[in-house]
Every structure is written in C-alpha cells, then in structure tokens.
C-alpha cells in the first residue's frame, strides 16, 4: 500500500520559476510535483545512519529494521555529511525521522521542514527547475511543534513542545554566533525546576519532586551548535503559532507593529510583541475550555484571529483587544455530515465508544430539515442554538484552519472576501466558511472527501486547495485500516472556488486539476507495510485532551 502524504505545501510560480509546484511529504520522503502536469520534478529521502549528530553528542540508539537490510543499531539523527538521496523507493522504516511540518519563504526559494523524531529543522533550497537541495540541519533540544517564517525571509520562528519559542536565522552567514550553550539561557548551578507543590497534585508527582529537591542535581543542558535566540516561553506545550503585523497611523505616519501569537494545550492564546521585544506580553485571548490546537490570522484581516482545538466551536477574535467576537458551532456540522453519510456514521460509532446511538438519533431529528450535498449558507447563531439542544458527545479535534482571499470574478478588489477552511481529526470532510465584512464567520458547505484529511496546500491565485487523503485508514477511523473492499489509491483531492453573478461561491472539484491529480495518485509515494504504527504518526491531536475534562 502506498504511504499517504502527511504534509503538503503549495509553491506558487514567481518571476524565477514559471510553474506552480506541489511539495508533498510522505514519511521521510519529500517530493516536488509539477501542479500543471502532475509530473515528479524531484525528490529527497532521509537515510538511516549510524553516526553522531553534527550539533551535539550522539543520540540514543534505537534498533532499526528494514525489509532491505539487516537489523542494526543506529541513532535517529543523521551524520555530519548527511545528504538526501535523490529519488529511490522502498519500505519506510518506522524509526526514521518523518516530515511533520513544511513552510515556504515568501520569495519561494527555500523550504523549512521539521522532522519529528530527531527534533530537526531542515532547510532546503528550491531552484527554478524545482530541484530540492538540503542546505542545513539544526537539531533542537526539544521537539518542534510549530514553525513560521518572518516576512523578510530572514528568520525562522520555532515553538517546541516544552513551551519555548526560538528565533533562528534562515541562513547561517558566519560562525561568530555559533556554539551558544543553553547554559547562557539558564543560570548555572542547581537546575531550575518548572514544577512546585502548587502546580502538582498526584502523590507520585509529589514524591518525584521531593526526590529532585533532595538530590539537588545539576543538569547541564545540551549545547545548541548554531545561532539562536530564546524569544518567549509558556508553562505548557505550545501547539501552534502565528505572526501578525498591524499597520497604525495615517498615510504620512504609517507604522508597522509585529506580534507573535502562540497557543497551548492549557486553553491559552497569548499575544506577544514581535522581535526584539517578544518578552513583553500584550494580552491574552481567553475563553477556550479545551486545548487550542490551531490559530489562523487571515492575510486580508490581520486584526482577526480564528482559533480551534478540542472545543465544539470555532472562536473568532479581535486579538488586539482579546475580545471574542463570535463562537461558531462546528460540532453540529460534524453531526450533520455523519448523519448524511450512513457508512461513515457506522464506522464513527464503532470507533468512539463514548458516542451514544440515541444522541445520534436525536441529532438526526434536529437536522432532518437540512439539505445534503452542498449545504445552504447558515448563520453561526442558528448553528449554535441547534447544537445547544443536545448533549455534546461527539468529540471534535480541529487539525487545520486555513484562510484564502477570494478577489471575485476578474480579480476585482471590491469583491474581495475571505474564505476559511477547517478540518477535524478523523472526519472525511472539509468545512467551508466565509468571513463577512462585519467579521462574522458564516458556514457555506461541507465537502465530502474520500478519506480522512491529513494536509492541505492553498493556491490563492487559483482559488484552489489540494487535500491529502489517508488511504490507509477507513474514513472516520484513526485506528481501523482499510480492507480489500475499501482500499483506495486516492492520495490527493483538489477543490476550486466557483462564483456566479450573485457572488454565491461554492467549492467543487475542478476539471482542470483532474489530470495532474490523477497522475500524482497513480505515481503515489512509496510502498509501505508498517500500517499498525501509522495511526500514531498521523493522528495525535485528540491525545491533547486532558482526562476528566470531557464534556
């Protein structure tokens, strides 16, 4: 079975590169496809190795096994002279670092990629022909959880699962700032413990804390052998970050202010100043009851923030003031989608032991009057009142929030509107909204997919979105693998925004994309047999939900 593409990245054409590219990551493989033809332009593969990491001591050894080689002891991290092997197929070992996140510079000449197990930030050059070349590898002390690139393409902003946010130069220009140890960020001497008796509650954690205090051990942190700067920190795992710029003043006195917006597992959204004053906290957006997993600042509305995670709704914020402008119920949309697709509903009921069939039947009665297929536009207030009638038992985990600026037919700026697309973990649908001129988020339609969505690539100039599909697991399931009757070779689907004279835009599969998408689907990625472990690699958002806090 082909390995699915867990991450996608759109690389629009520019003055130097005349074609649109689609970057797709499958396991530890990175592919560059021509979006117009679907042809493979280049590829890169992470190799397993037995050498020490270039930026620190040898990593912990793990046993690697492959169908092509004998079992050997090898560290996860690559060696000093590591260079990706062009092309090449074969079974992907489950212990080789896989690509978790991708980001593109504004000029389109570099790709920043995060590989998960080795906590590495890789920098690739993308030339005018679409060839991928590995330029550098930087191994972080903790696993990166979110990355962003500043507008000037000079700095990578990286958040990790320990709660810290770092700034790293995109390109290392000299050795002057290298060999900066973490000790300079934290005073030497006794290790500064994050926990105390007021922040822990279980007996086992208290005993562990007392033991650490008695021992008074000094833990020398690993050094980071590349230039970096600690910007800010949370006391919880950071799940996402966004960079925003607000322009103030009149035409003659225009002034831009940069901000770093971060969210964490503890329901917080924090607004911090941009570099070099990121240690100043401007405010918070508080209101989530569950973890916050995704935040989105639309390019056309830089003062608006849309957030989602483990709650049953999306939040629309005026993030500068910390005021929640609207809550949009998405749980009822998921219920409605499941009710209109009986096959999906059966799998979902079998998947979630907490889901009661009586509650689903109640949801059917509430939404019996709703249309199926392309749903009519519904106001958020109606959706909220509908879901309030039933107990919340369908757990929602938002995995993606994306924005797209639609300039209307002919690109007329007066018709510009902002489209919002949302995905949920294990739900084979794309939920489409639009943000009105009054910053109200209005539901447009639900786009059924041929499998659970994993990643997306937005082509704003083409008003199109490419979605990667999980071809391994059954739709609506994160644990059950497909059998011969449900097997699918569909790895990608594409939708484009269509408009009519009434500006009533809907999303539909675009005929122009059919041939290139089919070409990519036919090529696939690489054959894999490691199906049992793949669920844990592709689906992890629901695990952020804290026990005992379910609705």
């Amino acid at each position: 079975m082909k390995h699915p593409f867990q991450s996608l990245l759109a690389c629009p054409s520019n003055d130097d590169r005349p074609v649109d590219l689609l970057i797709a990551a499958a396991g530890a493989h990175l592919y560059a496809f021509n979006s117009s033809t679907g042809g493979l332009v280049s590829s890169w593969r992470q190799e397993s190795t037995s050498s020490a990491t270039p930026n620190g001591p040898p990593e912990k050894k793990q046993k690697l096994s492959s169908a092509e080689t004998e079992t050997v002891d090898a560290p996860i991290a690559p060696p000093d002279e590591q260079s990706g092997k062009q092309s090449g197929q074969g079974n992907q070992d489950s212990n080789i670092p896989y690509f978790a996140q991708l980001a593109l510079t504004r000029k389109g000449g570099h790709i920043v990629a995060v590989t998960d197990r080795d906590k590495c930030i890789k920098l690739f050059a993308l030339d005018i022909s679409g060839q991928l070349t590995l330029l550098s590898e930087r191994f972080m002390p903790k696993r990166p959880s979110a990355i962003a690139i500043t507008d000037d393409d000079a700095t990578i902003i990286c958040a990790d699962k320990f709660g810290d946010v770092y700034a790293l130069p995109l390109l290392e220009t000299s050795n002057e700032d290298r060999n900066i140890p973490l000790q300079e960020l934290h005073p030497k001497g006794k290790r500064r413990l994050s926990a105390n008796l007021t922040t822990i509650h279980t007996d086992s954690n208290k005993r562990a804390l007392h033991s650490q205090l008695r021992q008074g051990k000094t833990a020398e942190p690993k050094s980071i052998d590349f230039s970096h700067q600690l910007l800010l920190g949370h006391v919880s795992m950071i799940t996402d970050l966004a960079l925003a710029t607000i322009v103030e003043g009149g035409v003659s006195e225009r002034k831009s202010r940069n901000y770093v917006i971060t969210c964490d597992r503890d329901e917080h959204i924090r607004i911090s100043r941009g570099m070099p004053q990121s240690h100043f906290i401007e405010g918070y957006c508080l209101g989530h009851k569950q973890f916050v997993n995704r935040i989105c600042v639309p390019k056309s509305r830089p003062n608006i923030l849309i957030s989602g995670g483990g709650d049953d709704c999306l939040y629309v914020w005026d993030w500068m003031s910390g005021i929640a402008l609207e809550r949009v119920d998405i749980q009822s949309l998921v219920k409605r989608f499941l009710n209109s697709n009986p096959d999906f509903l059966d799998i979902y009921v079998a998947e979630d032991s907490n889901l009661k069939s009586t509650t689903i039947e109640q949801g059917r009665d509430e939404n019996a009057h709703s249309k199926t297929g392309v749903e009519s536009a519904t106001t958020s207030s109606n959706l909220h009142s509908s879901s309030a009638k039933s107990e919340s038992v369908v757990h929602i985990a938002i995995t993606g929030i994306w924005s797209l600026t639609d300039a209307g037919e002919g690109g007329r700026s007066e018709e510009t509107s902002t489209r919002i697309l949302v995905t949920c973990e294990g739900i084979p649908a794309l939920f489409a909204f639009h943000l009105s001129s009054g910053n109200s988020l209005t539901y447009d339609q639900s786009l059924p997919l041929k499998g659970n969505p994993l990643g997306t690539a937005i082509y704003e100039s083409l008003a199109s979105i490419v979605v990667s599909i999980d071809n391994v697991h059954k739709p609506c399931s994160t644990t059950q693998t497909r059998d011969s009757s449900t097997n699918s070779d569909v790895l990608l689907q594409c939708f484009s925004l269509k408009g009519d004279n009434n500006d009533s835009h809907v999303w539909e599969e675009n005929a122009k994309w059919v041939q290139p998408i089919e070409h990519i689907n036919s090529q696939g990625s690489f054959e894999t047999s490691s199906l049992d472990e793949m669920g844990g690699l592709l689906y992890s958002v629901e695990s952020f939900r804290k026990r005992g806090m379910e609705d």
Side-chain angles (χ1 to χ4, degrees), residues 129-419:
S129 64
Q131 295 297 317
L132 293 165
T133 304
L134 180 65
L135 298 181
S136 67
E137 293 177 305
R138 284 169 272 191
F139 295 89
M140 302 300 292
K142 301 294 179 180
R143 183 174 299 177
S145 57
I147 55 172
I149 303 174
T150 55
D151 289 341
D152 60 2
D153 286 351
T155 306
I156 302 170
I157 307 298
C158 171
D160 64 30
K161 293 192 175 182
F162 196 69
D164 293 329
V165 177
Y166 292 93
L168 296 76
L170 182 74
L171 299 171
E172 292 280 1
T173 57
S174 67
N175 294 326
E176 294 178 359
D177 298 326
R178 298 179 67 86
N179 298 314
I180 304 177
L182 281 179
Q183 289 94 313
E184 295 183 10
L185 303 178
H186 304 289
K188 292 184 178 181
K190 291 186 177 181
R191 180 175 54 179
R192 186 172 56 187
L193 301 178
S194 300
N196 56 61
L197 292 177
T198 62
T199 60
I200 59 176
H201 306 285
T202 64
D203 291 339
S204 60
N205 286 344
K206 289 179 180 179
R207 288 194 296 270
L209 177 61
H210 283 302
S211 176
Q212 294 176 24
L213 292 174
R214 285 196 303 269
Q215 293 175 6
K217 289 185 176 180
T218 299
E220 294 294 336
K222 294 181 181 179
S223 62
I224 303 181
D225 189 24
F226 51 83
S227 58
H228 64 283
Q229 179 184 357
L230 179 64
L231 299 182
L232 58 95
H234 283 230
V235 295
S236 178
M237 179 180 71
I238 296 178
T239 53
D240 200 8
L241 69 85
L243 305 181
T245 301
I246 297 296
V247 179
E248 302 174 342
V251 177
S252 59
E253 298 180 356
R254 294 173 67 88
K255 185 177 182 181
S256 298
R257 292 186 180 274
N258 298 321
Y259 297 89
V260 179
I261 306 175
T262 49
C263 60
D264 61 30
R265 189 187 178 190
D266 283 344
E267 309 95 41
H268 301 139
I269 300 175
R270 191 167 102 178
I271 315 300
S272 305
R273 294 184 188 178
M275 297 173 59
Q277 296 181 319
S278 302
H279 54 283
F280 283 101
I281 301 175
E282 289 288 339
Y284 291 89
C285 295
L286 303 177
H288 280 276
K289 301 296 189 299
Q290 289 285 351
F291 63 90
V292 187
N293 185 56
R294 286 292 176 264
I295 53 178
C296 175
V297 178
K299 294 180 181 178
S300 59
R301 310 283 180 88
N303 60 318
I304 296 298
L305 174 72
I306 302 171
S307 62
D311 289 300
D312 300 331
C313 57
L314 297 169
Y315 282 75
V316 181
W317 304 89
D318 179 349
W319 57 267
M320 284 292 293
S321 62
I323 297 176
L325 303 178
E326 189 177 25
R327 293 174 56 190
V328 181
D329 181 16
I330 195 170
Q331 184 194 58
S332 64
L333 298 179
V334 174
K335 287 182 180 180
R336 184 182 305 173
F337 174 79
L338 294 175
N339 293 334
S340 63
N341 296 272
D343 294 339
F344 291 166
L345 177 60
D346 293 340
I347 298 176
Y348 190 89
V349 171
E351 179 82 5
D352 190 349
S353 60
N354 295 324
L355 189 62
K356 305 296 183 180
S357 59
T358 54
T359 305
I360 289 295
E361 291 296 333
Q362 184 179 3
R364 281 200 180 103
D365 294 337
E366 293 172 358
N367 298 295
H369 65 282
S370 301
K371 297 179 181 180
T372 58
V374 177
E375 299 284 350
S376 59
T378 306
T379 60
S380 60
S381 59
N382 290 337
L383 295 176
H384 181 70
S385 62
S386 174
S387 67
K389 297 178 182 178
S390 62
E391 181 184 1
S392 172
V393 294
V394 179
H395 293 156
I396 305 301
I398 302 295
T399 55
I401 304 175
W402 300 272
S403 67
L404 181 147
T405 301
D406 169 32
E409 289 193 48
R412 290 172 294 179
S413 60
E414 63 269 17
E415 295 181 359
T416 297
S417 61
T418 300
R419 306 289 166 169

Side-chain angles (χ1 to χ4, degrees), residues 104-115:
L104 180 70
T105 57
R106 179 178 289 265
K107 295 180 181 178
H110 295 88
I111 293 175
V112 178
V114 172
T115 49

